[in-house]
Structures are given as structure tokens and as C-alpha cells.
Amino acid sequence: MHLEPLERDFAAWLDHRDAEALARVFDATGGKLLLLAAHLAGAGAAGGGGQDLVQATFVAAMARGASWDRTRPLWPWLAAILHNESRMRLRSARRRREVAIDAAGAVPAANGDPPTLAASQELLGTVLQAIDTLPLPYRQVLRLRLVHGLRPVDIARSLEVPVGTVRAQLHRGLEHLRSVLPLGVATMVAALLAGEDTLLAQVKTRVLGHTGHGSATAAAGAGGVVMTGGWWAMNAKSVGVTIAGCALLALLGFTLGVPESWWPRAADSSLVLPVSADVALAANEHAAAPTQPDRHAAVGAGDAVWPLVVTVRGKDGTPIPGASVTVWTSLRGSVYWYRDASEFGREDIAAGPTGADGVFRCSLDALRGRSQLAHRTTYLWAEATWPHGTPGYEIVELPRTREPQQVTATIELRECRALITGRVVDAAGAVVARAQVGTSRGEHPHFGNDAQTRSDGTFFVGWDGEAESWPDQLVVASPAHGIATVAVPAWIAEQRTIDLGTIVLQATDCVHGRAVLGDGSALAGIHIQAQAIDPSLGNDLQAIHQWLMRESRKHDSFALHDGRPVWNATQTHTLADGSFRFTGLRPDGVYLLSVWAVGAPADTVVRPGGDAVELRIDKQLLSIDVFDEHAAPVAGAQVRLAGYDPSARHSSYQKWPGFPETGLICSNWLPSAAPDGRRIFLAPFGFVFRVTVADDCVQPIAVRHDVMAGVYHATCRLDVRTETRFGKLHMCAVDENGAPINCGAYLKALDREQQIDDRRCITPPEGLTWDLPAGRWHVQAVLGKEVTYLHGDGGFARGFQEHVVTVEHGRTTQLKLVAAPAGLVAFDVHANDRAIASWRTLRVEEAGRALTVLQRDPNNPRPGIPDAATRFVAKQALAPGQHSFLLQADGYQPATCNVDVVADKLTYVRVEMFAR
């Protein structure tokens, strides 16, 4: 006799007491039974016991399995038991539960109660059909919520997206369902959505407990239902309120939540996974109390398959007991480059104090079951704080396989002479994250330490100066919330920690408004800059941009006006409704608002205190979604775009098959991130874009997107596959005597779009090793000591070498470099003690061979484009000894100079040039 999988599994239970087979039966039918229980409760059965009805149904079925006709489907038989159980409970509400089960054990009709079953099947079909018509994001989260019974936070973890995104999609998905489902059915679905517990997992555990296989089996089953559980799940408290109708729907937005506010706030405690820290707080005079409550784990750190061991020590290597450690994950993708990567998309993992050995331990097993792409596109952060200095943190990668392994992190805390701390809130009392914190003495605010407020609004500023340099003020500034200055108490040598308490930001001298597309729809998550400009330029945008090219880099982002700090230049992001606000501007200043986008700018000249500004951007809002081979979103993938302007006829500087040969105006462009975490990009109409993913953990992919005129909203989807072929490249460098020397490399894949810049990494004596996708790689190795900063153009005394290597899957490729002694030359070129006017045409030759020289400002070692230059550094390294050079520039007489190049040094030579 042929049986379907469901019937075959139940028969295996009856014949062999196969608990795993019974668990599969529960997974396939438990959710449908729970929805049927809700339907019966709405028809007048006792409310609030839907999960008990499902449990009783399975217990009765297990006890009376001999009555099941194996030639008939199993589902109607189970549904009939549930219906009988419901009727018996209604008639015998005060009788003991065992009596009701015995009554339900009476042999039901093979096909159950036809009207009830037909109604329940119609209900199920209606809901499923409605869900299947929804767009993929809503369909996916609704099925995980309703079909698998996951809480919003569990859905967020399984999809690797922010929990706010999940709640928003649930809310919007329900709104879609309300428009297509009958009111009563929509109300029932709303009740199911309102629950927060994975009740089917609990019911399944209790049902399997009746099999006699013990808690281990039950626990295994409970875990399985989270990922592959039955069709529908609901909260027990939801069953009794299915008749609440519109009242429940009105409250549903509060229950499910709305998209998380774009304003920074304290981390949601519901995101915290329960873990254990197998340490005790040591009795130490320097011990700090944990900043978060104790947490307990289902899996202790000692039993973990993926244990995390965080060692906290001082600068001298001494263990630090009692330091407060917090562990969390964040999205790795550079889509979030302009935000605090440690906060956006944050998922808290563990928190607690270090033990007497300075070690904090916890389990990462909750992350282990996720996909390889999830691991490779997620950062793991570990931060340690103590009351004697600023916090320290370490970023580590998650393991690349699910094999048992230990993850380690070492955090070094530096003790400061004094520590200034406090907490920052806005005028409404909400915490403000990512506000800049600086100190000032006299009239000079200093933000050099790059201190920022954390997600809970707290900040830490360390100080190691002398008493006479002790700051007299603290300055806290947030573009959207305001600026505050706080007097710092006078220096007291014995006082180690200065707590300034709660600092309230006041929003004054504001520019506010809203960013919209050409069709009037809101633009959320768009990056907007405000830059102070010369008021005399008026509204001439062309003149303003020319002025900014010349002058803006000469001004700090912060300045003092009438003794108080104001913004010269700052940036923020639009909220979910497209609104934005800049505060703390110069009251009499003039600012240019700019939107970060390709193509023609959407700029507006504004003055603080004016009316609301509307930035209308006539471009397409392109949403970019990345999914893996299992159709699960890859939230941390690094998306890149290359844009082509069809009206431009210049040859493209990069050529890709299937894309235009001309008009490439940008490559490696990063998308932004909307408040719900989706990647977004403002695309000019008529442009062509090549969309790729830069992560080495995915196989190469490129998608073409043509921006159709007048289409203000579009979506581009990338379906990626996991890269499985990896090898290693090991590189070392030695001098002429075979002794190890410093080396770094810029690696560029020739078979895919991937680049790695490790030119300034610290080289261990044994050399450097990279894990790379298999294929051919171009290696530009820099050698020797870095004697001048040339950004990506060299500056290393022994020059650079270029090689092409092949990395084979599962193997290590060795690259050993020998670097002869060499040095660099810097030419300081002047004309009558002034910079030459034609520096762009300067040419340097040695014995007829042209040298590549790089213009640098001697007062600013970082690359810039000053109006005139005086220093030019040779990119090529030169052998030690005498060298003769010829310098030529348009409008000047040729000049010669002799230089004695010294090994491992940068040699300067002054050259005077005369006009023709």
C-alpha cells in the first residue's frame, strides 16, 4: 500500500514508536490545527486554550491510532479529533482534562464533521492564497511568523535583518491582507500575528514528552520547530480575542511595532540572546560593576560548540578583572559606511564582567546555525569598559564552517590620568547616539579624539595631559539634535573619574525640511550635507561649487561664533518620512544643502531659521536586494555600482562585457541604507548601471539596470551563490642579506571584482597570509620602511614589485620577494621663492628615463590639490648613490640637480626654476 509522506510518518510512529516521525507529523499539521482551534474558538468554543486543544488532539491520536483507517488521509482524521475535543470541552468545561481526552478518543468519523472541516479548509486556503499574492519580503516574514511561529526578533535573526525591518514588513503585510481578506478572517490573522511566543515549540515539546523518549528528544523537537515547524502558530492569549474585530486591528500597530525610529536610541533589550558568562566578579579595588544585568544561558560557555573567549588586559599585559564586556554583531556591508558600523543592524549577544583572570566567556552557538554568507557578511564586536580609561574593542570574524572551534578576542585597556563621562539626551529626554564629543580650553574646541556617544547615550573621554592643559569645557554636538557646552570641574589630582551627569542638547538655529522624489514621494535614508558658504555668492550654484572646490577643505567642520560652537559643515540622513533637520548652525550663516548622488546635483541654498525646505530630487529611487541560493536576504553583502551616462562619449576607463564601451562616469559607488535596512540609490534617468557584490564569499555576479525616464521607484535583485573555492597566498620579503623586512600588498583579482589593500599592515617576521578565492591575482607589493605618506601611491623606501600569481583551491601559494637597498627623493621646486605656476606640467627625467612624481603639499602630508605645489615625490625607489635629474615645466627654463640617494631614507633636494 502506497502512503503519502505524512501518513507514512504517522504509520512509523504507530508501528515503531518513531519519535522523529511523529515530530514531522506535528510540524506538518500542528499549525493548521492551531488555526482550526482559533476558528472554533471564534465560533463559540472556550477561548484561550488553542494550544491545549492541539496538544489534546495529538495525545488522543497517539492513544487511539488503531482507529485510523490507513487508506484515508490523516489530516481530516486529526481535524475531527480536534473538533470533537472542542465540543467536549464546551459541554464539560468543568470536567477533568483526562475525561475530555477519553471522550475525544471515541472513534470519529473518517472524514470528521464535513461542514466544520470544509469551513476550516476554506479558511486556510483563503489565508494562504492571500499571503502568496504578496511581494516576497512580506510573504517571507508572514510565513515565518504565521507558518513557523517565530517572534519578530527570531525572524530578524534568521534573515539577518534588523528587527525593525521585520516589524515594518509584518505591519505592511497585514495591511495588504486586510484589503483582500474578509473582516473576520483578517481579525483572526491579526490575532495570530499579535502573539510573541513560539507556542507550537512548547506544544511540540509536551506532545513528544508523551512518547517516553525523555527531555532530550523533546528539546530537539522544540528546536526544530523554530526552523521547520508547522504551518501556523499563535499566542494562547490571542485565541480568546479573535472576536475583537476592529479594536484588535487598531491596537495591532502598537503590538507589532512600526519601523524603528531613525533617531538613535538605546538598544532594544528584546534583541539580547540569553547566554552565560562562566566567570565570577573578582574582589578587586579596581573592579567595575557590570553595566548590564546578569544573563543566564540554555547553553553554558563551557558546553558551547562555538565558545567565545575575550581576554581583557592592561597595556603591560596584566589581566583586568571586573571589566564590563559586551558582545554584539553588526552588518559588514559598506552600504553602512557613513554610520557607526557597530550600531546599525546591531544584534546583542552577551554581556558580563571578566573574572579574576581577566577573561569573559560566552557561547556563540546561537549564531552557528546561520548560513555561511551570514557569517562572512557579519562582524562580531567585543567591547570592554572600566572606570579608569576609555573603552576598548576588538572586531573578529565568525568561523567559516560550523565545525567546533573557539573564537578569541583580546582587548587592551589603557588607563587614563582622568576620565570624563556622562550621558547625552535630546530636549525630549531621548538618548542621543553618535553625537560628537570634544573638549575645549579657551576658544578652541578639540574633537581630535573622535569620541562619540554610544547607543545608550553615554560617552567616555580620556585625558593624559598636564594640569595646565586640563579642559574647561566639554562640547557635545549632534547635527539633528543640537549642541551643548558643559563646564568641566577644575582639575583635582586625586579625582580619577569626572561624571558630568545628563547633558541635554538644545536644537537652535535650525534648517529643516523634507526630501522627496519628483513624484512627491518621501525619500528616507538619504545622505544630506550642509556646508557653510560665502554669503556673497548668493544663489549662483556654479560659483558656489567652484568656491567649495577651492575653499571648503581649508575650513574645519566646527567653529566658534560669538564664543559658542557652530557647524561649518556636517551631515545627516532623512527619516522615514523624508524629513531632516540641521541644528547648531551659525545664525547669520548661509549654507548649501547637498544630496549625495550621481549626476546633476539637487542643491539648495538655505539660511537658519527660515521656512521648511523641500529638496525635490528628480531621480529614480533604486532599491537593491541581495538574496542567497535559498532566497534568504543577505543583509551585509557589499553592493557596488558603476554608472554610465549615455550622453557622454568618452571611452569607459573600465570595460565589462555587455556594458557600454563609453560613458562610464563612476565605479565602485556605494548605495545608502534606508531606515528599514534596504540598500537604496538615487539613479539619474537614462543612465545605465552595473550592480555587483564585492564580497569574496559569493561567486561573481553582475546585473544591468537601465533607469527608465519617469519611473521614480525601481528594484534590482541580485541572487548570489556561495563561493566554495578558496586558497591561501603567503608573501614574505627579505633584504639583500636574507633578513625579513617590512612588506605590504595591494591585491587585485583578475578573475573577479575584488581588491584588498594591505599596504600598511604590520608585517610579522614570517610574512603575511591571505585567504583568497581561487584564481589569478595581481600583486603590487610595497617594500621596506614607509618614509613618506603617499596614500595609495607608494612612499616605501625600497619601492614596489608587481607579480601575477595563481591561487589554487585548497592550497597555499608562496611568494618570496627580495628587495635591494633603495631610497626615495623629494623635489622642492620653487620659482623666485614661490610655487611654480605650471606645476601640472612638471616632468622629471634621469638619463632620458621619465620618473613618475607625485605632487604633495609640504604642510599637509595627505593628498590634496592646492592651487600651486612646491613638493614632488618620486614614486620609484632609487639605488643608493649619486643621481642626476632634469626638471622641465611649461613656461620655465629646464633645471638640473644632483642628489645623493641614501638607502631606506627620503632625501630632499631644492630646485630653483626660472621663467622663460
Side-chain angles (χ1 to χ4, degrees):
M1 177 178 62
H2 174 73
L3 295 178
E4 295 298 324
L6 178 64
E7 286 72 23
R8 185 166 59 247
D9 283 336
F10 192 65
W13 155 252
L14 295 176
D15 297 339
H16 308 292
R17 290 299 186 259
D18 186 341
E20 293 184 0
L22 182 64
R24 291 193 294 270
V25 174
F26 187 97
D27 290 344
T29 61
K32 293 168 65 178
L33 288 170
L34 196 55
L35 186 61
L36 178 56
H39 178 62
L40 295 174
Q51 78 277 21
D52 291 335
L53 283 173
V54 174
Q55 179 178 339
T57 298
F58 267 90
V59 172
M62 292 160 59
R64 304 289 179 174
S67 65
W68 168 52
D69 185 351
R70 300 194 183 199
T71 64
R72 294 182 178 273
L74 180 66
W75 161 248
W77 184 75
L78 291 174
I81 294 178
L82 185 140
H83 184 237
N84 288 343
E85 174 71 15
S86 177
R87 286 190 304 179
M88 292 301 298
R89 289 193 171 206
L90 187 62
R91 289 200 304 260
S92 308
R94 295 183 180 180
R95 295 175 58 188
R96 293 184 57 184
R97 178 173 175 275
E98 288 80 2
V99 176
I101 292 177
D102 289 340
V107 180
N111 292 319
D113 182 350
T116 300
L117 291 179
S120 65
Q121 290 288 61
E122 181 180 357
L123 173 67
L124 290 170
T126 300
V127 176
L128 285 174
Q129 185 177 7
I131 290 177
D132 287 341
T133 63
L134 299 180
L136 177 63
Y138 307 138
R139 184 168 71 247
Q140 191 172 39
V141 296
L142 281 170
R143 281 189 171 274
L144 287 173
R145 181 74 183 98
L146 296 171
V147 174
H148 299 297
L150 273 75
R151 300 173 301 164
V153 65
D154 297 321
I155 297 173
R157 288 169 182 156
S158 64
L159 298 181
E160 292 95 36
V161 298
V163 68
T165 302
V166 172
R167 290 191 173 115
Q169 290 172 342
L170 286 171
H171 181 79
R172 296 168 187 163
L174 178 63
E175 290 301 312
H176 285 293
L177 289 180
R178 289 175 60 190
S179 65
V180 297
L181 288 176
L183 177 59
V185 177
T187 301
M188 185 176 299
V189 173
L192 295 173
L193 281 173
E196 284 293 321
D197 297 328
T198 53
L199 294 177
L200 280 181
Q202 301 170 19
V203 176
K204 182 177 179 182
T205 300
R206 294 196 294 267
V207 167
L208 295 182
H210 286 270
T211 66
H213 283 72
S215 60
T217 302
V225 77
V226 173
M227 300 306 297
T228 61
W231 278 41
W232 303 91
M234 59 181 292
N235 190 296
K237 292 181 288 188
S238 303
V239 180
V241 298
T242 54
I243 60 175
C246 295
L248 177 60
L249 290 175
L251 293 173
L252 188 61
F254 176 80
T255 306
L256 292 177
V258 295
E260 290 183 338
S261 170
W262 199 231
W263 299 107
R265 60 180 182 84
D268 186 352
S269 61
S270 66
L271 294 178
V272 179
L273 294 177
V275 298
S276 71
D278 295 343
V279 297
L281 182 61
N284 185 293
E285 61 179 355
H286 298 300
T291 59
Q292 299 195 23
D294 292 336
R295 298 165 187 174
H296 304 283
V299 178
D303 303 322
V305 180
W306 277 9
L308 172 66
V309 179
V310 181
T311 302
V312 182
R313 63 190 185 191
K315 191 174 182 180
D316 59 357
T318 304
I320 298 179
S324 180
V325 176
T326 306
V327 181
W328 69 93
T329 63
S330 69
L331 302 178
R332 185 175 182 178
S334 294
V335 60
Y336 311 108
W337 68 277
Y338 50 78
R339 301 186 191 171
D340 184 345
S342 69
E343 298 296 340
F344 193 78
R346 173 172 174 148
E347 180 181 350
D348 290 314
I349 301 299
T354 56
D357 57 354
V359 175
F360 170 81
R361 297 176 176 87
C362 67
S363 170
L364 300 178
D365 287 0
L367 303 174
R368 180 169 167 261
R370 299 181 181 178
S371 68
Q372 185 180 14
L373 287 184
H375 294 158
R376 296 293 296 277
T377 57
T378 299
Y379 278 132
L380 182 71
W381 296 71
E383 182 188 63
T385 59
W386 65 333
H388 310 295
T390 54
Y393 67 88
E394 181 75 12
I395 305 174
V396 297
E397 290 189 345
L398 290 171
R400 297 190 175 185
T401 71
R402 291 191 174 94
E403 298 300 319
Q405 51 198 300
Q406 178 174 281
V407 182
T408 62
T410 300
I411 301 174
E412 182 179 289
L413 294 181
R414 185 177 62 88
E415 187 168 356
C416 299
R417 193 171 176 186
L419 182 69
I420 305 174
T421 184
R423 180 172 175 266
V424 179
V425 301
D426 62 15
V431 299
V432 178
R434 295 183 292 279
Q436 289 184 256
V437 182
T439 58
S440 68
R441 182 172 179 83
E443 298 183 354
H444 303 286
H446 176 62
F447 287 90
N449 53 18
D450 294 326
Q452 287 189 334
T453 56
R454 302 170 355 146
S455 60
D456 60 356
T458 59
F459 64 85
F460 303 89
V461 177
W463 182 82
D464 283 311
E466 300 300 326
E468 57 270 16
S469 64
W470 177 249
D472 51 22
Q473 283 194 113
L474 189 83
V475 181
V476 183
S478 169
H481 298 87
I483 297 177
T485 56
V486 182
V488 178
W491 167 251
I492 302 176
E494 296 77 17
Q495 190 173 9
R496 302 292 298 276
T497 302
I498 296 90
D499 189 345
L500 299 179
T502 300
I503 299 172
V504 181
L505 299 183
Q506 299 295 333
T508 59
D509 303 317
C510 300
V511 168
H512 69 286
R514 187 167 176 261
V516 299
L517 290 174
D519 62 355
S521 58
L523 267 176
I526 296 300
H527 179 83
I528 298 182
Q529 297 172 315
Q531 171 72 58
I533 59 174
D534 185 345
S536 66
L537 298 173
N539 294 327
D540 187 342
L541 293 180
Q542 182 175 357
I544 290 171
H545 283 283
Q546 292 175 350
W547 181 88
L548 288 173
M549 288 288 292
R550 298 192 311 270
E551 304 293 333
S552 64
R553 74 181 190 90
K554 299 179 182 179
H555 301 286
D556 295 330
S557 60
F558 228 63
L560 287 178
H561 176 71
D562 293 337
R564 64 185 181 92
V566 295
W567 291 107
N568 262 339
T570 185
Q571 59 190 30
T572 189
H573 306 89
T574 57
L575 307 184
D577 62 353
S579 63
F580 62 87
R581 180 172 65 171
F582 290 99
T583 68
L585 304 179
R586 181 176 175 135
D588 59 350
V590 180
Y591 289 81
L592 180 72
L593 294 188
S594 303
V595 174
W596 192 68
V598 171
D603 297 340
T604 302
V605 177
V606 296
R607 291 167 174 78
D611 296 334
V613 178
E614 182 182 81
L615 287 177
R616 186 169 289 267
I617 302 167
D618 198 36
K619 299 179 189 289
Q620 181 183 93
L621 182 64
L622 176 62
S623 299
I624 305 169
D625 296 324
V626 183
F627 295 89
D628 65 14
E629 51 262 58
H630 306 295
V634 184
Q638 302 184 69
V639 174
R640 300 289 185 272
L641 299 100
Y644 299 83
D645 180 1
S647 65
R649 307 317 308 167
H650 60 267
S651 179
S652 296
Y653 51 86
Q654 285 181 287
K655 303 293 179 64
W656 292 292
F659 290 88
E661 296 286 327
T662 61
L664 180 64
I665 65 169
C666 66
S667 62
N668 210 33
W669 195 278
L670 307 176
S672 299
D676 62 2
R678 294 191 75 187
R679 301 164 184 80
I680 55 175
F681 178 76
L682 289 173
F685 292 124
F687 272 47
V688 175
F689 283 93
R690 182 176 184 269
V691 188
T692 62
V693 175
D695 298 274
D696 65 354
C697 55
V698 304
Q699 297 177 10
I701 184 174
V703 174
R704 173 172 173 146
H705 176 74
D706 293 81
V707 186
M708 305 299 294
V711 179
Y712 285 95
H713 296 267
T715 299
C716 178
R717 172 169 175 150
L718 288 86
D719 291 285
V720 300
R721 300 186 66 83
T722 305
E723 179 61 78
T724 59
R725 295 176 52 81
F726 284 88
K728 295 181 183 295
L729 172 63
H730 177 261
M731 185 182 80
C732 63
V734 297
D735 63 12
E736 65 280 10
N737 301 314
I741 62 171
N742 179 71
C743 65
Y746 175 77
L747 310 173
K748 180 178 177 59
L750 301 179
D751 304 322
R752 58 190 298 134
E753 291 174 54
Q754 186 185 352
Q755 301 160 13
I756 300 174
D757 190 351
D758 279 345
R759 281 174 286 200
R760 284 178 178 80
C761 59
I762 299 175
T763 309
E766 66 274 12
L768 299 167
T769 301
W770 293 272
D771 290 311
L772 302 173
R776 296 186 309 131
W777 289 79
H778 177 267
V779 180
Q780 185 184 76
V782 294
L783 303 162
K785 185 169 68 173
E786 186 175 20
V787 294
T788 185
Y789 181 81
L790 296 181
H791 192 50
D793 297 316
F796 294 83
R798 300 206 176 195
F800 56 89
Q801 296 182 20
E802 298 187 71
H803 301 270
V804 174
V805 299
T806 299
V807 175
E808 299 183 32
H809 174 57
R811 297 187 178 183
T812 299
T813 300
Q814 300 288 346
L815 180 61
K816 183 176 181 180
L817 307 176
V818 178
L824 297 182
V825 176
F827 301 90
D828 286 333
V829 184
H830 298 265
N832 296 327
D833 290 328
R834 294 192 299 271
I836 65 171
S838 301
W839 61 269
R840 292 181 184 273
T841 66
L842 180 69
R843 301 177 299 278
V844 180
E845 297 180 0
E846 181 186 25
R849 178 175 67 97
L851 269 67
T852 301
V853 290
L854 306 167
Q855 166 271 321
R856 290 296 179 268
D857 181 350
N859 298 316
N860 180 8
R862 294 187 175 273
I865 308 177
D867 294 331
T870 59
R871 178 166 295 168
F872 302 84
V873 181
K875 183 176 180 179
Q876 296 95 332
L878 303 168
Q882 284 285 333
H883 292 261
S884 180
F885 300 99
L886 172 67
L887 285 75
Q888 303 176 77
D890 294 351
Y892 293 86
Q893 298 178 20
T896 60
C897 64
N898 296 318
V899 181
D900 188 6
V901 176
V902 180
D904 299 319
K905 299 286 186 180
L906 174 65
T907 303
Y908 296 91
V909 58
R910 180 183 174 94
V911 181
E912 188 75 22
M913 301 192 74
F914 299 93
R916 291 185 185 275

